[in-house]
Amino acid sequence: MLSTQIPVIVLAGFLGSGKTTLLNHLLRASRGTRIGAIVNDFGSIEIDAMTVAGQLGDSTVSLGNGCLCCAVDASELDVFLERLTRPAARLDVIVIEASGLAEPQELVRMLLASENERIVYGGLVEVVDAAEFDATRERHPEIERHLGIADLIVLNKADRAGDGAAGERLRQRIAGLADGAAVIPATYGRIDPELLFACRPRGERVGQLSFDDLHTGDEGAVCDVGAVCDEHGHGHGHHDHLHAAYETVSFTAAEPLHPRRLLHFLDSRPQGLYRIKGFVDFGDADPRNRYTVHAVGRFLRFYPEPWPPGRERGTQLVLIGSGTDGEALLKALDAARVAGPHDAPEEHSMWGVLRYVPEPAAAEPAAGDLAEEPDDRS
């Protein structure tokens, strides 16, 4: 079940792009989130979010040559993941910082091949040096391939990319090489940690955010753009807020959603929409279960679980992206609501959803011949 799984994020980028700086920033600014890390050649590390970056103690395991995609295979990576995901570690997220010359596609492949049921792929974050992008592209043309499979691109050292117009032109060029991934400018790797993971939630966690951390409005759809983290919601001053260039939209619906129409929305989600997580009620199409949805870039999974006793049924989703149109997203999701008995989902309407349910949960007679490999960003 997704609520017990730990997201594993791959942090990639060529030498000097600022991966370690970004990771150190995440460690300092994680606000109570417990992070585990597998970093280059100094192994797998359990890190309390209150630990100052660099004070890692003896909690290290050497990987030898430091290039994860060369040093280990999927089974060996599972050994490190097993250590970090043991219940006693109480981690909220794991970050794999790749070597500057690693193949991120190979690391993603290993994660997707992992037999550890306590993890879920959390996305590929590619860090790009804004000041050296053209030189890096000339030396390493494979960066175009890396950008094409990334789920989130951090355009680091944005302050060295020239004036505002020059920086925007560079961002647009990189966005053109990416396959719909959000491109976030940053300086010294300072992105808002909530783009990747949440502050420790006070209420039920939905994906990387808690619904208690979102402003709520009238019953129905709520659009909360750019208000993921504020000085009142998290008890820290305005000076701690990083104003990352992304938007958050929250959607709730008391009516069930139509499986086919929701799949159409997910299959055609717009450029820049980075992450979707939450709970979906499909009503009579599957009255026994609610479905946790987890989407990062093109990666998509559904996790069915019985409705918790006494829990009011409904759909709750959080969508995070950059340059997205929140009102258009809400309108598209509104169109997925079941309008009444005349709009009841047709027979077999759940087959598309079941394609994205991992084995063995999908191994039911109705879905037996439909367990195709989902559209993973690998």
Side-chain angles (χ1 to χ4, degrees), residues 2 194-198 201 203-216 220-229 234 246-253 257 262 265-266 269-270 272-280 291-297 299-301 314-322 324 326 329-330 333:
L2 186 60
E194 296 214 22
L195 186 54
L196 302 181
F197 48 84
E204 180 178 13
R205 174 177 290 187
V206 178
Q208 77 283 21
L209 301 176
S210 163
F211 272 98
D212 287 349
D213 294 334
L214 295 172
H215 296 299
T216 56
V222 180
C223 182
D224 184 25
V225 178
V228 179
C229 180
H234 291 139
Y246 68 95
E247 302 85 38
T248 295
V249 173
S250 60
F251 172 84
T252 65
L257 299 191
L262 179 62
F265 169 80
L266 293 172
R269 50 196 185 271
L273 183 54
Y274 166 62
R275 184 168 289 211
I276 305 172
K277 297 182 84 172
F279 303 109
V280 180
Y291 283 72
T292 300
V293 58
H294 172 79
V296 179
F299 179 87
L300 176 63
R301 288 287 191 272
T315 294
Q316 295 178 307
L317 296 174
V318 172
L319 300 85
I320 293 182
S322 176
T324 53
L329 293 175
L330 290 175
L333 285 169

Side-chain angles (χ1 to χ4, degrees), residues 258-260 284-285 345-354 365-367 370:
H258 193 290
R260 289 190 187 277
D284 290 340
E346 61 275 19
E347 189 178 2
H348 307 315
S349 63
M350 286 293 293
W351 284 11
V353 171
L354 294 177
L370 295 169

Side-chain angles (χ1 to χ4, degrees), residues 36-264:
I38 301 174
V39 184
N40 286 347
D41 58 352
F42 61 87
S44 61
I45 308 162
E46 178 186 337
I47 305 169
D48 189 307
M50 297 302 293
T51 302
V52 176
Q55 296 180 348
L56 303 177
D58 297 325
S59 185
T60 64
V61 177
S62 175
L63 294 182
N65 67 8
C67 182
L68 294 178
C69 65
C70 300
V72 301
D73 60 21
S75 62
E76 291 174 299
L77 181 60
D78 271 349
V79 173
F80 299 108
L81 293 174
E82 180 65 28
R83 171 181 174 178
L84 292 172
T85 58
R86 68 191 190 281
R90 296 182 293 113
L91 295 180
D92 298 307
V93 65
I94 296 170
V95 179
I96 297 179
E97 183 194 342
S99 159
L101 297 177
E103 272 295 333
Q105 180 173 346
E106 187 64 16
L107 293 175
V108 173
R109 182 195 65 79
M110 286 194 289
L111 277 177
L112 295 176
S114 172
E115 297 182 358
N116 190 322
E117 296 182 352
R118 294 193 292 272
I119 68 164
V120 62
Y121 175 55
L124 169 62
V125 179
E126 182 77 13
V127 184
V128 174
D129 185 335
E132 298 293 332
F133 176 69
D134 289 327
T136 301
R137 191 178 180 188
E138 183 175 348
R139 291 194 308 270
H140 302 289
E142 60 269 29
I143 192 174
E144 295 187 14
R145 183 176 71 253
H146 297 177
L147 293 172
I149 64 172
D151 299 296
L152 176 70
I153 297 168
V154 177
L155 185 57
N156 197 29
K157 308 181 188 179
D159 57 320
R160 297 173 54 193
D163 58 24
E168 178 58 21
R169 286 194 298 270
L170 177 59
R171 194 193 71 80
Q172 292 291 345
R173 285 172 55 205
I174 291 174
L177 296 171
D179 188 10
V183 181
I184 305 295
T187 301
Y188 296 110
R190 291 198 290 259
I191 65 171
D192 195 319
E194 296 214 22
L195 186 54
L196 302 181
F197 48 84
C199 303
R200 186 171 296 279
R202 296 187 302 268
E204 180 178 13
R205 174 177 290 187
V206 178
Q208 77 283 21
L209 301 176
S210 163
F211 272 98
D212 287 349
D213 294 334
L214 295 172
H215 296 299
T216 56
D218 296 333
E219 184 176 354
V222 180
C223 182
D224 184 25
V225 178
V228 179
C229 180
D230 62 37
E231 56 186 318
H232 303 294
H234 291 139
H236 58 272
H238 186 75
H239 63 281
D240 290 327
H241 189 76
L242 298 172
H243 296 289
Y246 68 95
E247 302 85 38
T248 295
V249 173
S250 60
F251 172 84
T252 65
E255 306 88 348
L257 299 191
H258 193 290
R260 289 190 187 277
R261 295 203 292 271
L262 179 62
L263 256 295
H264 175 73

